[in-house]
Amino acid sequence: MKAPRWIRAAARWPLGVRWLLALAAAGGLAWLAVPLPHPLFPDDYSPVVLDADGKLLRVFLNRRQQWMLPTDPGRPVPVKLKAAVLAYEDRTFYRHPGVSLRALLRAAAANCKHRRVRSGASTLTMQIARLARPKARTLPNKLLEMAQACKLELLTSKENLLRLYLDHAPYGGNIVGYQAASWRYFGKPPDQLTWSEAATLAVLPNSPSLMTPVLNREALVAKRGRLLRILTQQGRITPAECALAQAEPVPDRLHPFPLHAPHAALRLLGKRKGSPAVRSSLQLDTQQACEGLLRRHMQYLRSLGVRNACLLAVETRTGLVRAYVGSQDFLDVEGRGQVDGVQAPRSSGSLLKPFLYAAAMDEGLILPDMLTWDVPTHFSGFTPQNNDLAFLGLVSAREALIQSRNVPAVRLLHAVGVYPFYLWLEQAGVSTLFRKPEEYGLALVLGGAEVTLWDMVALYCGLGRGGRFAPLRLALSDPGPSGRLLLLPGSDQLLLEMLREVKRPEGEYYWEQYNRQRPVAWKTGTSYGQRDGWAVGTSPNWTIGVWTGNFTGEGNPNLSGGRCAAPLLFDCFNTLPALVPEHWFNGDPGSLVSCAVCRETGFLAGPDCPHRVAAKIPKDAKPFRTCPYHRVCHLSPDRRHSVCASCWDPERHLEEVRLVYPPQVMQVLRQQGRDVAGIAPHLPACSSVEQDSGMEITYPAERARIWIPRGLAGEPQRVVVQVSHRDRNRKVFWYVDKNFRGETREPHARAFLLETGWHTVDVVDESGQRLRRTFQVAVKPGLPEAQ
């Protein structure tokens, strides 16, 4: 059998060529046979949270409880550290193929001379092979490291090899890699190392278990000095620089890693998506500024007995969170500083009122200057009260929101509907509504629901974006703020103007007189029992939210949003830089249209309104009501009585436009000293039935069920029936279950002791006008007598 033709042809080649080819083939086979670990180094880096610019915010231990920062191919190796490492470990690094023949010969001679191993002749590449999979120091293992080093040299560049070594070299204890070593030993990033510090790090991996800055310091100083002299001989540093570097002390303690935005860092751990580092939206400068402002403000809060606070600052246009301060101090164990107040559900207080007003404008229910009722109100057992326990009778929607009056807000929610407003809040991003809408009821707008500072800042940020609501962005990888348009742009603009007029805290009263004006649309909130103090505001630049209170949930009579949270809110607005030059929001001018409204009531002007003014209203809102209060009244010639077709003299009666308010409103206005003429009493001699009695039973509601408690002695309490009359001089006669029970003049209220069951109350005024109200009474059973 003949050999193949290529073998017979190769047999005629010169002997030297055949030997070279054989050696090359053997070398190739050997190279293929040399194993390299895969991956070269396990992907077990310390989880790292960075700010938007790549600055370190927080570092966590890896799975092996080591500090080993992830490698960053885009970050160059510091020049000083590179020069020091190459001068100490491998001066021919850029010239050898992975193994230095000169170093091998020198090591062999030294080891033979001293008859023990004094030098291993390891290059940096060989050390990488050993670091990848540590092995016993034997000759076979040394040969394997040499082969692996040669293979690594062929597969990657010198710069990558140098980075691999520095990122995985041991620096003592649980510190791995030059980045972790720089932070732990010197408290600074590697690019800020001095020559002395770079030389210290260069000599540490040589024997990290025997010599560290806190262990065997004398040996470390000696090695550092020898390296600095070598750098001087190489011309890297001058003799003067060498002397100064040697004079620098070696650190005697470990520095902690930076601890900025620790609550946000914990929240971001879940967003790493397989990468050891996550880039947050936070800005270190902004974060530190807000942390400092809150820390100083806590001195004032502690004097009031308030122990906790948190803060969130967001760019309005982008929704990027730039500062996230979850508590007054993460390390404050006694003050529960590790609680993340930004994500803690708390009672909203009045923070949701602005969104109710905006939703009501969309529905055509209110305009900023439209009058709303501020009168005693009862809804199926729920009786809202204003903070000052007083009523104004009538107040514009603007003033009702600015003063944060509760009764107009509850009446407005009743008009809008609890369920529609509940759905609106869910769509806008409120994530803590865990009850059904009917379980919250009308108290939803007064703090009956728990919300988080995170969600509240997102809501007010949506106001600053023209009524478009989107989640906030804590990581740069989060989607952009496209969001959902949930408010008409016109309603949003009007609401921002209303919130801009909210009175600022002491020290900010005269802000408009300063050249550096910063208008802010903002709102405070104080929960029931004074457990939570809120302040949230938005501007074209920033949307900022502040919560103050106690994480334990206890109340404090000194706690309120205006007193405790608002000053810190405006400190932040005045400190943070302006991102855009606009002084105020530039809304779409086409989203508002001009319309004639009644000057006295704020409703769309009706045919009987004597004074009309132009006002802006949302273009696409549902139709608004015309003024219901201006009415043409027919009066007797002396204007003392109103007349009708049955009693007027066609040639002598007068017509006059008057403001006619409901009886309940008139009564409260009179109590406030605001006497409004209204409708004059009807002519007594008229035999016709008057259509407008001018009288109203304000409590209880028709067919209401009233639960009557018992007093301390076990006696049942009385039911108070209230009546309002438009004429303050009219006398009212009372009948209960057809039995006469007396008479009253203003105020008209009587308390009756009633038994369990259904009852009927009739009220009759002097003109014979009659009203009836039927309701059920349930008396709580008495306590059993003591035996």
Side-chain angles (χ1 to χ4, degrees), residues 441-485:
L442 295 173
L444 175 63
V445 75
L446 300 184
E450 297 82 9
V451 298
T452 64
L453 182 61
W454 179 270
D455 288 346
M456 289 299 95
V457 171
L459 284 187
Y460 281 80
C461 193
L463 285 183
R465 288 200 295 263
R468 191 173 294 275
F469 297 84
L472 302 180
R473 303 168 61 194
L474 186 56
L476 290 182
S477 59
D478 291 339
S482 56
R484 305 177 62 180
L485 187 63

Side-chain angles (χ1 to χ4, degrees), residues 329-522:
D329 184 0
F330 186 77
L331 302 179
D332 182 9
V333 177
E334 294 183 359
R336 294 174 170 82
Q338 295 188 10
V339 174
D340 187 354
V342 172
Q343 303 296 334
R346 308 290 297 202
S347 171
S348 63
S350 300
L351 286 186
L352 299 180
K353 289 179 181 176
F355 306 98
L356 173 63
Y357 278 72
M361 279 191 276
D362 284 358
E363 294 295 318
L365 296 176
I366 62 165
L367 288 169
D369 295 317
M370 189 180 291
L371 294 181
T372 61
W373 289 20
D374 184 12
V375 297
T377 305
H378 313 280
F379 292 104
S380 300
F382 176 52
T383 304
Q385 293 287 338
N386 293 311
N387 294 327
D388 57 5
L389 301 180
F391 302 96
L392 300 179
L394 288 171
V395 61
S396 70
R398 183 191 310 274
E399 285 302 316
L401 180 57
I402 290 174
Q403 298 177 25
S404 194
R405 302 196 70 79
N406 292 335
V407 172
V410 171
R411 296 181 68 94
L412 191 58
L413 179 57
H414 184 261
V416 172
V418 173
Y419 188 73
F421 186 57
Y422 177 95
L423 291 182
W424 189 96
L425 291 175
E426 281 194 327
Q427 293 174 347
V430 178
S431 59
T432 50
L433 299 175
F434 63 94
R435 297 185 180 94
K436 297 178 181 179
E438 59 271 18
E439 293 177 351
Y440 288 110
L442 295 173
L444 175 63
V445 75
L446 300 184
E450 297 82 9
V451 298
T452 64
L453 182 61
W454 179 270
D455 288 346
M456 289 299 95
V457 171
L459 284 187
Y460 281 80
C461 193
L463 285 183
R465 288 200 295 263
R468 191 173 294 275
F469 297 84
L472 302 180
R473 303 168 61 194
L474 186 56
L476 290 182
S477 59
D478 291 339
S482 56
R484 305 177 62 180
L485 187 63
L486 298 177
L487 290 178
L488 294 176
S491 300
D492 184 82
Q493 288 188 51
L494 293 178
L495 179 62
L496 288 171
E497 291 295 336
M498 293 164 68
L499 293 177
R500 180 181 177 178
E501 299 178 21
V502 175
K503 299 297 183 293
R504 297 194 179 191
E506 185 177 352
E508 288 282 329
Y509 286 160
Y510 305 105
W511 66 273
E512 294 177 303
Q513 299 182 13
Y514 293 96
N515 293 329
R516 190 169 170 263
Q517 298 178 6
R518 291 197 174 183
V520 176
W522 73 292

Side-chain angles (χ1 to χ4, degrees), residues 68-117:
M68 184 170 68
L69 300 186
T71 181
D72 184 1
R75 187 190 300 271
V77 176
V79 175
K80 295 177 182 178
L81 181 61
K82 178 179 179 179
V85 168
L86 294 181
Y88 188 77
E89 293 285 357
D90 195 347
R91 300 182 194 181
T92 62
F93 175 70
Y94 286 101
R95 298 194 296 272
H96 63 66
V99 178
S100 174
L101 183 59
R102 179 182 299 178
L104 287 174
L105 294 175
R106 184 174 61 250
N111 293 339
C112 290
K113 179 179 179 181
H114 295 89
R115 298 183 179 180
R116 61 185 179 90
V117 177

Side-chain angles (χ1 to χ4, degrees), residues 367-368 494 589 592-595 614-618:
L367 288 169
L494 293 178
L592 293 171
V593 295
S594 183
C595 189
K616 297 291 185 179
I617 66 173

Side-chain angles (χ1 to χ4, degrees), residues 182-450:
S182 179
W183 283 106
R184 291 292 280 161
Y185 289 130
F186 305 110
K188 62 174 69 174
D191 54 4
Q192 297 180 14
L193 292 173
T194 66
W195 279 110
S196 174
E197 293 164 346
T200 301
L201 292 186
V203 302
L204 275 176
N206 189 256
S207 52
S209 61
L210 301 177
M211 179 182 63
T212 69
V214 295
L215 177 67
N216 202 1
R217 293 162 51 83
E218 294 78 9
L220 177 62
V221 170
K223 281 194 173 185
R224 182 191 67 173
R226 287 196 295 271
L227 176 55
L228 289 171
R229 288 191 291 274
I230 292 173
L231 292 171
T232 305
Q233 295 169 3
Q234 293 179 347
R236 293 284 185 176
I237 58 176
T238 65
E241 290 175 324
C242 178
L244 290 173
Q246 288 182 326
E248 284 188 31
V250 172
D252 57 358
R253 62 184 179 88
L254 295 175
H255 293 264
F257 278 104
L259 187 64
H260 302 295
H263 301 89
L266 286 170
R267 187 171 174 82
L268 285 165
L269 275 181
K271 297 189 176 185
R272 287 182 293 152
K273 297 179 180 179
S275 172
V278 57
R279 185 71 66 89
S280 73
S281 63
L282 302 175
Q283 290 178 327
L284 183 56
D285 293 343
T286 304
Q287 176 73 25
Q288 289 179 315
C290 290
E291 288 176 352
L293 290 173
L294 190 146
R295 189 163 48 248
R296 287 192 292 272
H297 188 64
M298 281 305 302
Q299 299 176 6
Y300 166 69
L301 292 181
R302 290 191 181 97
S303 69
L304 301 177
V306 179
R307 298 186 297 274
N308 302 108
C310 56
L311 182 153
L312 195 66
V314 177
E315 284 186 7
T316 302
R317 292 177 302 164
T318 63
L320 292 171
V321 180
R322 298 305 193 184
Y324 186 121
V325 188
S327 70
Q328 70 285 351
D329 184 0
F330 186 77
L331 302 179
D332 182 9
V333 177
E334 294 183 359
R336 294 174 170 82
Q338 295 188 10
V339 174
D340 187 354
V342 172
Q343 303 296 334
R346 308 290 297 202
S347 171
S348 63
S350 300
L351 286 186
L352 299 180
K353 289 179 181 176
F355 306 98
L356 173 63
Y357 278 72
M361 279 191 276
D362 284 358
E363 294 295 318
L365 296 176
I366 62 165
L367 288 169
D369 295 317
M370 189 180 291
L371 294 181
T372 61
W373 289 20
D374 184 12
V375 297
T377 305
H378 313 280
F379 292 104
S380 300
F382 176 52
T383 304
Q385 293 287 338
N386 293 311
N387 294 327
D388 57 5
L389 301 180
F391 302 96
L392 300 179
L394 288 171
V395 61
S396 70
R398 183 191 310 274
E399 285 302 316
L401 180 57
I402 290 174
Q403 298 177 25
S404 194
R405 302 196 70 79
N406 292 335
V407 172
V410 171
R411 296 181 68 94
L412 191 58
L413 179 57
H414 184 261
V416 172
V418 173
Y419 188 73
F421 186 57
Y422 177 95
L423 291 182
W424 189 96
L425 291 175
E426 281 194 327
Q427 293 174 347
V430 178
S431 59
T432 50
L433 299 175
F434 63 94
R435 297 185 180 94
K436 297 178 181 179
E438 59 271 18
E439 293 177 351
Y440 288 110
L442 295 173
L444 175 63
V445 75
L446 300 184
E450 297 82 9

Side-chain angles (χ1 to χ4, degrees), residues 123-141:
T123 62
L124 280 183
T125 317
M126 293 170 62
Q127 293 187 53
I128 293 172
R130 183 168 64 249
L131 290 172
R133 294 295 184 271
K135 301 174 283 291
R137 296 293 189 91
T138 63
L139 182 58
N141 287 338

